[in-house]
Amino acid sequence: MPPQNLDTAVWAELDQNGLARRRIDGDPQVAMGIDCWAVSREEAWLSITDDKPSEPVKGVTELVLAGRWASEKLLYQYLDLPWPLQDRHWAIRLRGNAALAEKSGVWERHWKLDEAGMALAKPKMGERYAEALMTPVNEGDWLLLTLGPRDTLVIYQTRASLGGGVPDSAVEGWAWSGIAEVMEKMEKNALRMRTFYSGTCDVQPGADGRPIACFAP
C-alpha cells in the first residue's frame, strides 16, 4: 500500500512525540504509524521479519507454517480477545518487494490473507482452532528507508476487519491504539540485532534478495 505523503505535520508530530500516526480512508481504514529508529535498515528489517521477537505483541500467538525469518513466509496468527468477543485467527503470506528495493532503495515487507494456510494450522492448534473466527480482511506492510548509517525511517500500515458482527470502526480503533506497542517492541528487537545477528549468524536475505552479512561481533 503506497503511504500518504509525509507532510510537515507528520514530521512535527514525529519530532514532538517520537511517533506519528495517521488514518487513511478506506473500507476498512488503514492505520499507519511513522517512526525513526536509531538502527540501520538491515537491523530494522531483521527485526520486523523475526520469527521470535524478544517481545512479542500481547495477546497474539504465532505459528510459522512455511518459510522462515526474512524469506517469504506463511504465518498463522491467533488473537485472544476479551469475553464476550470470540477469538480471531488468520493465515497471512509475507513477502519482500525486490522490485521496489531495486528501483528506489525502499525495503518493503507486505502481507495479505492466505486462506489455504488455515488447513496447515488446524492440527497444530487443537481445540483453540474451533473457538476462533477467521478474519475477512488482514493486509498491510512495513516500509524502511535509510536516513543515515544508523537512522531508518519506519512506516507500518495495517488494514483489517474482524468480521463476526464487530464493527470495522471498533477494529480501526484497536489497530490505531496498537501501533505504539508494535513500533516500540519491534524497535527494541532491532536494537538487539547487532549482537544477535553477529559472528557466524544465520544469514538472511534483505528485501532486495541479497544476503545481509553478519555484523561484526
Side-chain angles (χ1 to χ4, degrees):
M1 293 182 287
Q4 288 182 327
N5 290 330
L6 303 185
D7 56 21
T8 55
V10 168
W11 296 109
E13 184 179 344
L14 182 58
D15 183 59
Q16 181 176 354
N17 301 326
L19 173 68
R21 296 184 295 176
R22 289 293 182 271
R23 287 186 171 98
I24 303 172
D25 290 338
D27 186 22
Q29 284 185 342
V30 174
M32 180 173 70
I34 306 100
D35 202 351
C36 185
W37 297 354
V39 298
S40 67
R41 179 184 59 185
E42 289 74 15
E43 289 167 283
W45 174 259
L46 292 167
S47 173
I48 65 172
T49 60
D50 195 356
D51 292 334
K52 296 181 180 180
S54 55
E55 293 189 36
V57 176
K58 184 179 179 182
V60 177
T61 299
E62 293 188 341
L63 296 175
V64 177
L65 302 174
R68 58 185 301 275
W69 205 340
S71 301
E72 180 177 331
K73 184 162 57 183
L74 180 61
L75 181 66
Y76 171 82
Q77 296 180 309
Y78 188 105
L79 175 63
D80 285 298
L81 292 174
W83 185 90
L85 297 176
Q86 189 173 1
D87 293 344
R88 298 297 195 274
H89 61 173
W90 55 87
I92 53 175
R93 189 166 293 277
L94 302 101
R95 296 183 172 96
N97 189 337
L100 180 64
E102 290 292 340
K103 181 178 180 180
S104 67
V106 175
W107 282 17
E108 180 187 29
R109 180 74 157 181
H110 58 88
W111 69 88
K112 64 179 181 179
L113 284 177
D114 189 319
E115 294 187 26
M118 298 297 287
L120 298 175
K122 187 174 182 179
K124 299 176 182 291
M125 291 299 293
E127 294 181 0
R128 293 182 71 195
Y129 187 94
E131 297 171 354
L133 291 177
M134 182 178 170
T135 56
V137 179
N138 192 311
E139 61 185 17
D141 58 20
W142 290 89
L143 296 165
L144 308 175
L145 177 63
T146 296
L147 300 179
R150 300 280 294 166
D151 288 292
T152 300
L153 181 68
V154 180
I155 299 174
Y156 169 74
Q157 300 182 110
T158 181
R159 176 176 172 267
S161 174
L162 293 185
V166 178
D168 283 343
S169 59
V171 182
E172 290 156 6
W174 165 72
W176 175 261
S177 63
I179 287 175
E181 179 192 3
V182 171
M183 281 288 199
E184 179 183 4
K185 290 185 174 181
M186 290 299 103
E187 182 180 15
K188 286 183 178 179
N189 200 45
L191 288 167
R192 80 182 181 106
M193 279 299 160
R194 189 151 293 273
T195 299
F196 179 75
Y197 190 83
S198 63
T200 56
C201 71
D202 182 4
V203 174
Q204 296 298 307
D208 56 5
R210 298 186 178 92
I212 299 173
C214 303
F215 302 125

PDB file of all heavy atoms in Angstrom, residues 21-54:
ATOM      1  N   ARG A  21       1.081   9.093  13.833  1.00  0.00           N
ATOM      2  CA  ARG A  21       0.055   8.142  13.400  1.00  0.00           C
ATOM      3  C   ARG A  21      -0.933   8.843  12.477  1.00  0.00           C
ATOM      4  O   ARG A  21      -1.242  10.013  12.659  1.00  0.00           O
ATOM      5  CB  ARG A  21      -0.688   7.553  14.605  1.00  0.00           C
ATOM      6  CG  ARG A  21       0.177   6.732  15.537  1.00  0.00           C
ATOM      7  CD  ARG A  21      -0.630   6.105  16.662  1.00  0.00           C
ATOM      8  NE  ARG A  21      -1.207   7.101  17.548  1.00  0.00           N
ATOM      9  CZ  ARG A  21      -2.028   6.811  18.570  1.00  0.00           C
ATOM     10  NH1 ARG A  21      -2.351   5.557  18.807  1.00  0.00           N
ATOM     11  NH2 ARG A  21      -2.497   7.770  19.325  1.00  0.00           N
ATOM     12  N   ARG A  22      -1.426   8.085  11.517  1.00  0.00           N
ATOM     13  CA  ARG A  22      -2.393   8.616  10.576  1.00  0.00           C
ATOM     14  C   ARG A  22      -3.431   7.550  10.246  1.00  0.00           C
ATOM     15  O   ARG A  22      -3.158   6.355  10.293  1.00  0.00           O
ATOM     16  CB  ARG A  22      -1.710   9.062   9.272  1.00  0.00           C
ATOM     17  CG  ARG A  22      -0.854  10.310   9.414  1.00  0.00           C
ATOM     18  CD  ARG A  22      -1.689  11.540   9.714  1.00  0.00           C
ATOM     19  NE  ARG A  22      -0.901  12.758   9.806  1.00  0.00           N
ATOM     20  CZ  ARG A  22      -0.338  13.207  10.922  1.00  0.00           C
ATOM     21  NH1 ARG A  22      -0.438  12.494  12.045  1.00  0.00           N
ATOM     22  NH2 ARG A  22       0.335  14.334  10.927  1.00  0.00           N
ATOM     23  N   ARG A  23      -4.635   8.006   9.904  1.00  0.00           N
ATOM     24  CA  ARG A  23      -5.669   7.129   9.364  1.00  0.00           C
ATOM     25  C   ARG A  23      -5.855   7.440   7.884  1.00  0.00           C
ATOM     26  O   ARG A  23      -5.884   8.599   7.493  1.00  0.00           O
ATOM     27  CB  ARG A  23      -6.997   7.342  10.107  1.00  0.00           C
ATOM     28  CG  ARG A  23      -7.030   6.775  11.520  1.00  0.00           C
ATOM     29  CD  ARG A  23      -8.438   6.916  12.090  1.00  0.00           C
ATOM     30  NE  ARG A  23      -8.610   6.213  13.344  1.00  0.00           N
ATOM     31  CZ  ARG A  23      -8.540   6.790  14.537  1.00  0.00           C
ATOM     32  NH1 ARG A  23      -8.296   8.089  14.618  1.00  0.00           N
ATOM     33  NH2 ARG A  23      -8.723   6.088  15.636  1.00  0.00           N
ATOM     34  N   ILE A  24      -5.974   6.408   7.073  1.00  0.00           N
ATOM     35  CA  ILE A  24      -6.187   6.560   5.637  1.00  0.00           C
ATOM     36  C   ILE A  24      -7.576   6.016   5.325  1.00  0.00           C
ATOM     37  O   ILE A  24      -7.889   4.851   5.635  1.00  0.00           O
ATOM     38  CB  ILE A  24      -5.125   5.812   4.825  1.00  0.00           C
ATOM     39  CG1 ILE A  24      -3.713   6.292   5.215  1.00  0.00           C
ATOM     40  CG2 ILE A  24      -5.354   6.003   3.329  1.00  0.00           C
ATOM     41  CD1 ILE A  24      -2.602   5.484   4.601  1.00  0.00           C
ATOM     42  N   ASP A  25      -8.426   6.829   4.737  1.00  0.00           N
ATOM     43  CA  ASP A  25      -9.799   6.421   4.450  1.00  0.00           C
ATOM     44  C   ASP A  25      -9.830   5.194   3.560  1.00  0.00           C
ATOM     45  O   ASP A  25      -9.027   5.037   2.635  1.00  0.00           O
ATOM     46  CB  ASP A  25     -10.567   7.561   3.778  1.00  0.00           C
ATOM     47  CG  ASP A  25     -10.855   8.714   4.741  1.00  0.00           C
ATOM     48  OD1 ASP A  25     -10.836   8.471   5.962  1.00  0.00           O
ATOM     49  OD2 ASP A  25     -11.078   9.840   4.265  1.00  0.00           O
ATOM     50  N   GLY A  26     -10.776   4.309   3.846  1.00  0.00           N
ATOM     51  CA  GLY A  26     -10.951   3.093   3.076  1.00  0.00           C
ATOM     52  C   GLY A  26     -12.030   2.257   3.731  1.00  0.00           C
ATOM     53  O   GLY A  26     -12.665   2.677   4.703  1.00  0.00           O
ATOM     54  N   ASP A  27     -12.261   1.077   3.222  1.00  0.00           N
ATOM     55  CA  ASP A  27     -13.285   0.180   3.765  1.00  0.00           C
ATOM     56  C   ASP A  27     -12.686  -1.210   3.943  1.00  0.00           C
ATOM     57  O   ASP A  27     -12.742  -2.045   3.049  1.00  0.00           O
ATOM     58  CB  ASP A  27     -14.485   0.121   2.819  1.00  0.00           C
ATOM     59  CG  ASP A  27     -15.643  -0.682   3.412  1.00  0.00           C
ATOM     60  OD1 ASP A  27     -15.689  -0.830   4.645  1.00  0.00           O
ATOM     61  OD2 ASP A  27     -16.479  -1.179   2.626  1.00  0.00           O
ATOM     62  N   PRO A  28     -12.063  -1.483   5.120  1.00  0.00           N
ATOM     63  CA  PRO A  28     -11.908  -0.601   6.278  1.00  0.00           C
ATOM     64  C   PRO A  28     -10.730   0.371   6.117  1.00  0.00           C
ATOM     65  O   PRO A  28      -9.996   0.298   5.132  1.00  0.00           O
ATOM     66  CB  PRO A  28     -11.630  -1.581   7.416  1.00  0.00           C
ATOM     67  CG  PRO A  28     -10.952  -2.734   6.734  1.00  0.00           C
ATOM     68  CD  PRO A  28     -11.576  -2.845   5.374  1.00  0.00           C
ATOM     69  N   GLN A  29     -10.584   1.244   7.121  1.00  0.00           N
ATOM     70  CA  GLN A  29      -9.498   2.215   7.102  1.00  0.00           C
ATOM     71  C   GLN A  29      -8.141   1.542   7.235  1.00  0.00           C
ATOM     72  O   GLN A  29      -8.022   0.409   7.709  1.00  0.00           O
ATOM     73  CB  GLN A  29      -9.643   3.204   8.264  1.00  0.00           C
ATOM     74  CG  GLN A  29     -10.696   4.264   8.105  1.00  0.00           C
ATOM     75  CD  GLN A  29     -10.660   5.251   9.265  1.00  0.00           C
ATOM     76  OE1 GLN A  29     -10.105   4.978  10.322  1.00  0.00           O
ATOM     77  NE2 GLN A  29     -11.269   6.403   9.067  1.00  0.00           N
ATOM     78  N   VAL A  30      -7.107   2.264   6.827  1.00  0.00           N
ATOM     79  CA  VAL A  30      -5.728   1.861   7.061  1.00  0.00           C
ATOM     80  C   VAL A  30      -5.198   2.665   8.243  1.00  0.00           C
ATOM     81  O   VAL A  30      -5.356   3.888   8.291  1.00  0.00           O
ATOM     82  CB  VAL A  30      -4.838   2.114   5.829  1.00  0.00           C
ATOM     83  CG1 VAL A  30      -3.370   1.828   6.148  1.00  0.00           C
ATOM     84  CG2 VAL A  30      -5.303   1.259   4.654  1.00  0.00           C
ATOM     85  N   ALA A  31      -4.611   1.968   9.205  1.00  0.00           N
ATOM     86  CA  ALA A  31      -3.938   2.626  10.323  1.00  0.00           C
ATOM     87  C   ALA A  31      -2.447   2.642  10.013  1.00  0.00           C
ATOM     88  O   ALA A  31      -1.862   1.601   9.697  1.00  0.00           O
ATOM     89  CB  ALA A  31      -4.210   1.889  11.627  1.00  0.00           C
ATOM     90  N   MET A  32      -1.831   3.812  10.098  1.00  0.00           N
ATOM     91  CA  MET A  32      -0.424   3.962   9.724  1.00  0.00           C
ATOM     92  C   MET A  32       0.369   4.595  10.861  1.00  0.00           C
ATOM     93  O   MET A  32      -0.094   5.536  11.506  1.00  0.00           O
ATOM     94  CB  MET A  32      -0.303   4.829   8.466  1.00  0.00           C
ATOM     95  CG  MET A  32       1.136   5.036   8.002  1.00  0.00           C
ATOM     96  SD  MET A  32       1.285   5.892   6.403  1.00  0.00           S
ATOM     97  CE  MET A  32       0.757   7.541   6.831  1.00  0.00           C
ATOM     98  N   GLY A  33       1.562   4.058  11.103  1.00  0.00           N
ATOM     99  CA  GLY A  33       2.486   4.633  12.064  1.00  0.00           C
ATOM    100  C   GLY A  33       3.795   4.979  11.391  1.00  0.00           C
ATOM    101  O   GLY A  33       4.252   4.245  10.502  1.00  0.00           O
ATOM    102  N   ILE A  34       4.391   6.090  11.788  1.00  0.00           N
ATOM    103  CA  ILE A  34       5.669   6.537  11.231  1.00  0.00           C
ATOM    104  C   ILE A  34       6.629   6.783  12.389  1.00  0.00           C
ATOM    105  O   ILE A  34       6.291   7.500  13.345  1.00  0.00           O
ATOM    106  CB  ILE A  34       5.519   7.826  10.401  1.00  0.00           C
ATOM    107  CG1 ILE A  34       4.451   7.662   9.321  1.00  0.00           C
ATOM    108  CG2 ILE A  34       6.850   8.213   9.771  1.00  0.00           C
ATOM    109  CD1 ILE A  34       3.120   8.269   9.675  1.00  0.00           C
ATOM    110  N   ASP A  35       7.815   6.199  12.300  1.00  0.00           N
ATOM    111  CA  ASP A  35       8.790   6.340  13.375  1.00  0.00           C
ATOM    112  C   ASP A  35      10.187   6.396  12.763  1.00  0.00           C
ATOM    113  O   ASP A  35      10.385   6.074  11.595  1.00  0.00           O
ATOM    114  CB  ASP A  35       8.683   5.152  14.335  1.00  0.00           C
ATOM    115  CG  ASP A  35       9.232   5.447  15.716  1.00  0.00           C
ATOM    116  OD1 ASP A  35       9.857   6.507  15.897  1.00  0.00           O
ATOM    117  OD2 ASP A  35       9.051   4.610  16.621  1.00  0.00           O
ATOM    118  N   CYS A  36      11.141   6.815  13.562  1.00  0.00           N
ATOM    119  CA  CYS A  36      12.536   6.819  13.151  1.00  0.00           C
ATOM    120  C   CYS A  36      13.324   6.036  14.189  1.00  0.00           C
ATOM    121  O   CYS A  36      13.313   6.393  15.372  1.00  0.00           O
ATOM    122  CB  CYS A  36      13.067   8.244  13.036  1.00  0.00           C
ATOM    123  SG  CYS A  36      14.751   8.331  12.377  1.00  0.00           S
ATOM    124  N   TRP A  37      13.954   4.946  13.769  1.00  0.00           N
ATOM    125  CA  TRP A  37      14.707   4.089  14.672  1.00  0.00           C
ATOM    126  C   TRP A  37      16.206   4.343  14.511  1.00  0.00           C
ATOM    127  O   TRP A  37      16.698   4.525  13.395  1.00  0.00           O
ATOM    128  CB  TRP A  37      14.432   2.618  14.385  1.00  0.00           C
ATOM    129  CG  TRP A  37      13.008   2.193  14.599  1.00  0.00           C
ATOM    130  CD1 TRP A  37      11.990   2.931  15.126  1.00  0.00           C
ATOM    131  CD2 TRP A  37      12.448   0.918  14.272  1.00  0.00           C
ATOM    132  NE1 TRP A  37      10.834   2.204  15.158  1.00  0.00           N
ATOM    133  CE2 TRP A  37      11.078   0.967  14.650  1.00  0.00           C
ATOM    134  CE3 TRP A  37      12.947  -0.257  13.717  1.00  0.00           C
ATOM    135  CZ2 TRP A  37      10.224  -0.127  14.462  1.00  0.00           C
ATOM    136  CZ3 TRP A  37      12.111  -1.338  13.540  1.00  0.00           C
ATOM    137  CH2 TRP A  37      10.762  -1.276  13.912  1.00  0.00           C
ATOM    138  N   ALA A  38      16.928   4.307  15.614  1.00  0.00           N
ATOM    139  CA  ALA A  38      18.372   4.528  15.602  1.00  0.00           C
ATOM    140  C   ALA A  38      19.108   3.225  15.310  1.00  0.00           C
ATOM    141  O   ALA A  38      19.956   2.759  16.086  1.00  0.00           O
ATOM    142  CB  ALA A  38      18.819   5.124  16.926  1.00  0.00           C
ATOM    143  N   VAL A  39      18.777   2.631  14.173  1.00  0.00           N
ATOM    144  CA  VAL A  39      19.409   1.393  13.716  1.00  0.00           C
ATOM    145  C   VAL A  39      19.558   1.481  12.201  1.00  0.00           C
ATOM    146  O   VAL A  39      18.954   2.335  11.551  1.00  0.00           O
ATOM    147  CB  VAL A  39      18.571   0.140  14.076  1.00  0.00           C
ATOM    148  CG1 VAL A  39      18.431  -0.015  15.581  1.00  0.00           C
ATOM    149  CG2 VAL A  39      17.193   0.201  13.413  1.00  0.00           C
ATOM    150  N   SER A  40      20.323   0.579  11.640  1.00  0.00           N
ATOM    151  CA  SER A  40      20.448   0.516  10.179  1.00  0.00           C
ATOM    152  C   SER A  40      19.183  -0.105   9.584  1.00  0.00           C
ATOM    153  O   SER A  40      18.393  -0.749  10.282  1.00  0.00           O
ATOM    154  CB  SER A  40      21.670  -0.327   9.794  1.00  0.00           C
ATOM    155  OG  SER A  40      21.469  -1.686  10.161  1.00  0.00           O
ATOM    156  N   ARG A  41      19.008   0.093   8.284  1.00  0.00           N
ATOM    157  CA  ARG A  41      17.874  -0.524   7.588  1.00  0.00           C
ATOM    158  C   ARG A  41      17.920  -2.040   7.742  1.00  0.00           C
ATOM    159  O   ARG A  41      16.877  -2.693   7.907  1.00  0.00           O
ATOM    160  CB  ARG A  41      17.939  -0.137   6.110  1.00  0.00           C
ATOM    161  CG  ARG A  41      16.845  -0.725   5.243  1.00  0.00           C
ATOM    162  CD  ARG A  41      17.051  -0.353   3.788  1.00  0.00           C
ATOM    163  NE  ARG A  41      18.343  -0.831   3.273  1.00  0.00           N
ATOM    164  CZ  ARG A  41      18.808  -0.567   2.064  1.00  0.00           C
ATOM    165  NH1 ARG A  41      18.129   0.194   1.237  1.00  0.00           N
ATOM    166  NH2 ARG A  41      19.980  -1.046   1.673  1.00  0.00           N
ATOM    167  N   GLU A  42      19.117  -2.624   7.706  1.00  0.00           N
ATOM    168  CA  GLU A  42      19.248  -4.079   7.821  1.00  0.00           C
ATOM    169  C   GLU A  42      18.808  -4.567   9.196  1.00  0.00           C
ATOM    170  O   GLU A  42      18.133  -5.607   9.310  1.00  0.00           O
ATOM    171  CB  GLU A  42      20.702  -4.488   7.553  1.00  0.00           C
ATOM    172  CG  GLU A  42      21.137  -4.357   6.102  1.00  0.00           C
ATOM    173  CD  GLU A  42      21.368  -2.910   5.658  1.00  0.00           C
ATOM    174  OE1 GLU A  42      21.471  -2.020   6.534  1.00  0.00           O
ATOM    175  OE2 GLU A  42      21.440  -2.668   4.441  1.00  0.00           O
ATOM    176  N   GLU A  43      19.186  -3.842  10.253  1.00  0.00           N
ATOM    177  CA  GLU A  43      18.756  -4.233  11.599  1.00  0.00           C
ATOM    178  C   GLU A  43      17.237  -4.144  11.729  1.00  0.00           C
ATOM    179  O   GLU A  43      16.598  -5.024  12.333  1.00  0.00           O
ATOM    180  CB  GLU A  43      19.422  -3.330  12.639  1.00  0.00           C
ATOM    181  CG  GLU A  43      20.905  -3.585  12.808  1.00  0.00           C
ATOM    182  CD  GLU A  43      21.587  -2.477  13.589  1.00  0.00           C
ATOM    183  OE1 GLU A  43      21.844  -1.399  13.013  1.00  0.00           O
ATOM    184  OE2 GLU A  43      21.850  -2.696  14.789  1.00  0.00           O
ATOM    185  N   ALA A  44      16.658  -3.092  11.188  1.00  0.00           N
ATOM    186  CA  ALA A  44      15.199  -2.940  11.226  1.00  0.00           C
ATOM    187  C   ALA A  44      14.519  -4.075  10.480  1.00  0.00           C
ATOM    188  O   ALA A  44      13.517  -4.642  10.942  1.00  0.00           O
ATOM    189  CB  ALA A  44      14.795  -1.595  10.640  1.00  0.00           C
ATOM    190  N   TRP A  45      15.046  -4.424   9.317  1.00  0.00           N
ATOM    191  CA  TRP A  45      14.481  -5.496   8.506  1.00  0.00           C
ATOM    192  C   TRP A  45      14.518  -6.838   9.245  1.00  0.00           C
ATOM    193  O   TRP A  45      13.540  -7.592   9.259  1.00  0.00           O
ATOM    194  CB  TRP A  45      15.253  -5.591   7.196  1.00  0.00           C
ATOM    195  CG  TRP A  45      14.867  -6.738   6.315  1.00  0.00           C
ATOM    196  CD1 TRP A  45      15.531  -7.925   6.172  1.00  0.00           C
ATOM    197  CD2 TRP A  45      13.739  -6.814   5.431  1.00  0.00           C
ATOM    198  NE1 TRP A  45      14.899  -8.728   5.264  1.00  0.00           N
ATOM    199  CE2 TRP A  45      13.789  -8.068   4.785  1.00  0.00           C
ATOM    200  CE3 TRP A  45      12.698  -5.939   5.118  1.00  0.00           C
ATOM    201  CZ2 TRP A  45      12.836  -8.474   3.855  1.00  0.00           C
ATOM    202  CZ3 TRP A  45      11.750  -6.337   4.181  1.00  0.00           C
ATOM    203  CH2 TRP A  45      11.821  -7.594   3.570  1.00  0.00           C
ATOM    204  N   LEU A  46      15.656  -7.147   9.849  1.00  0.00           N
ATOM    205  CA  LEU A  46      15.791  -8.402  10.586  1.00  0.00           C
ATOM    206  C   LEU A  46      14.829  -8.461  11.769  1.00  0.00           C
ATOM    207  O   LEU A  46      14.355  -9.537  12.145  1.00  0.00           O
ATOM    208  CB  LEU A  46      17.232  -8.571  11.067  1.00  0.00           C
ATOM    209  CG  LEU A  46      18.262  -8.792   9.963  1.00  0.00           C
ATOM    210  CD1 LEU A  46      19.679  -8.636  10.515  1.00  0.00           C
ATOM    211  CD2 LEU A  46      18.093 -10.158   9.311  1.00  0.00           C
ATOM    212  N   SER A  47      14.518  -7.310  12.337  1.00  0.00           N
ATOM    213  CA  SER A  47      13.575  -7.260  13.453  1.00  0.00           C
ATOM    214  C   SER A  47      12.145  -7.508  13.011  1.00  0.00           C
ATOM    215  O   SER A  47      11.430  -8.335  13.582  1.00  0.00           O
ATOM    216  CB  SER A  47      13.663  -5.908  14.159  1.00  0.00           C
ATOM    217  OG  SER A  47      12.646  -5.792  15.141  1.00  0.00           O
ATOM    218  N   ILE A  48      11.691  -6.792  11.979  1.00  0.00           N
ATOM    219  CA  ILE A  48      10.276  -6.899  11.600  1.00  0.00           C
ATOM    220  C   ILE A  48       9.955  -8.241  10.939  1.00  0.00           C
ATOM    221  O   ILE A  48       8.774  -8.627  10.873  1.00  0.00           O
ATOM    222  CB  ILE A  48       9.860  -5.754  10.662  1.00  0.00           C
ATOM    223  CG1 ILE A  48      10.602  -5.826   9.324  1.00  0.00           C
ATOM    224  CG2 ILE A  48      10.056  -4.405  11.349  1.00  0.00           C
ATOM    225  CD1 ILE A  48      10.112  -4.850   8.283  1.00  0.00           C
ATOM    226  N   THR A  49      10.985  -8.961  10.482  1.00  0.00           N
ATOM    227  CA  THR A  49      10.753 -10.274   9.881  1.00  0.00           C
ATOM    228  C   THR A  49      11.051 -11.421  10.844  1.00  0.00           C
ATOM    229  O   THR A  49      10.844 -12.589  10.504  1.00  0.00           O
ATOM    230  CB  THR A  49      11.626 -10.456   8.621  1.00  0.00           C
ATOM    231  OG1 THR A  49      13.015 -10.348   8.982  1.00  0.00           O
ATOM    232  CG2 THR A  49      11.291  -9.403   7.570  1.00  0.00           C
ATOM    233  N   ASP A  50      11.513 -11.119  12.031  1.00  0.00           N
ATOM    234  CA  ASP A  50      11.956 -12.113  13.007  1.00  0.00           C
ATOM    235  C   ASP A  50      10.829 -13.084  13.364  1.00  0.00           C
ATOM    236  O   ASP A  50       9.701 -12.677  13.639  1.00  0.00           O
ATOM    237  CB  ASP A  50      12.441 -11.381  14.267  1.00  0.00           C
ATOM    238  CG  ASP A  50      13.252 -12.272  15.192  1.00  0.00           C
ATOM    239  OD1 ASP A  50      13.395 -13.475  14.914  1.00  0.00           O
ATOM    240  OD2 ASP A  50      13.739 -11.758  16.213  1.00  0.00           O
ATOM    241  N   ASP A  51      11.151 -14.389  13.374  1.00  0.00           N
ATOM    242  CA  ASP A  51      10.168 -15.402  13.774  1.00  0.00           C
ATOM    243  C   ASP A  51       9.874 -15.359  15.266  1.00  0.00           C
ATOM    244  O   ASP A  51       8.765 -15.703  15.703  1.00  0.00           O
ATOM    245  CB  ASP A  51      10.666 -16.803  13.425  1.00  0.00           C
ATOM    246  CG  ASP A  51      10.723 -17.043  11.929  1.00  0.00           C
ATOM    247  OD1 ASP A  51       9.961 -16.389  11.193  1.00  0.00           O
ATOM    248  OD2 ASP A  51      11.528 -17.888  11.491  1.00  0.00           O
ATOM    249  N   LYS A  52      10.870 -14.978  16.044  1.00  0.00           N
ATOM    250  CA  LYS A  52      10.720 -14.986  17.501  1.00  0.00           C
ATOM    251  C   LYS A  52      11.259 -13.687  18.085  1.00  0.00           C
ATOM    252  O   LYS A  52      12.351 -13.649  18.650  1.00  0.00           O
ATOM    253  CB  LYS A  52      11.457 -16.187  18.108  1.00  0.00           C
ATOM    254  CG  LYS A  52      10.883 -17.529  17.686  1.00  0.00           C
ATOM    255  CD  LYS A  52      11.639 -18.681  18.325  1.00  0.00           C
ATOM    256  CE  LYS A  52      11.056 -20.020  17.908  1.00  0.00           C
ATOM    257  NZ  LYS A  52      11.790 -21.171  18.521  1.00  0.00           N
ATOM    258  N   PRO A  53      10.498 -12.589  17.943  1.00  0.00           N
ATOM    259  CA  PRO A  53      10.963 -11.321  18.515  1.00  0.00           C
ATOM    260  C   PRO A  53      11.103 -11.421  20.027  1.00  0.00           C
ATOM    261  O   PRO A  53      10.432 -12.212  20.686  1.00  0.00           O
ATOM    262  CB  PRO A  53       9.868 -10.327  18.116  1.00  0.00           C
ATOM    263  CG  PRO A  53       8.666 -11.168  17.837  1.00  0.00           C
ATOM    264  CD  PRO A  53       9.178 -12.469  17.301  1.00  0.00           C
ATOM    265  N   SER A  54      12.006 -10.620  20.572  1.00  0.00           N
ATOM    266  CA  SER A  54      12.275 -10.686  22.005  1.00  0.00           C
ATOM    267  C   SER A  54      11.063 -10.288  22.841  1.00  0.00           C
ATOM    268  O   SER A  54      10.894 -10.755  23.963  1.00  0.00           O
ATOM    269  CB  SER A  54      13.473  -9.782  22.351  1.00  0.00           C
ATOM    270  OG  SER A  54      13.241  -8.457  21.888  1.00  0.00           O
TER     271      SER A  54
END
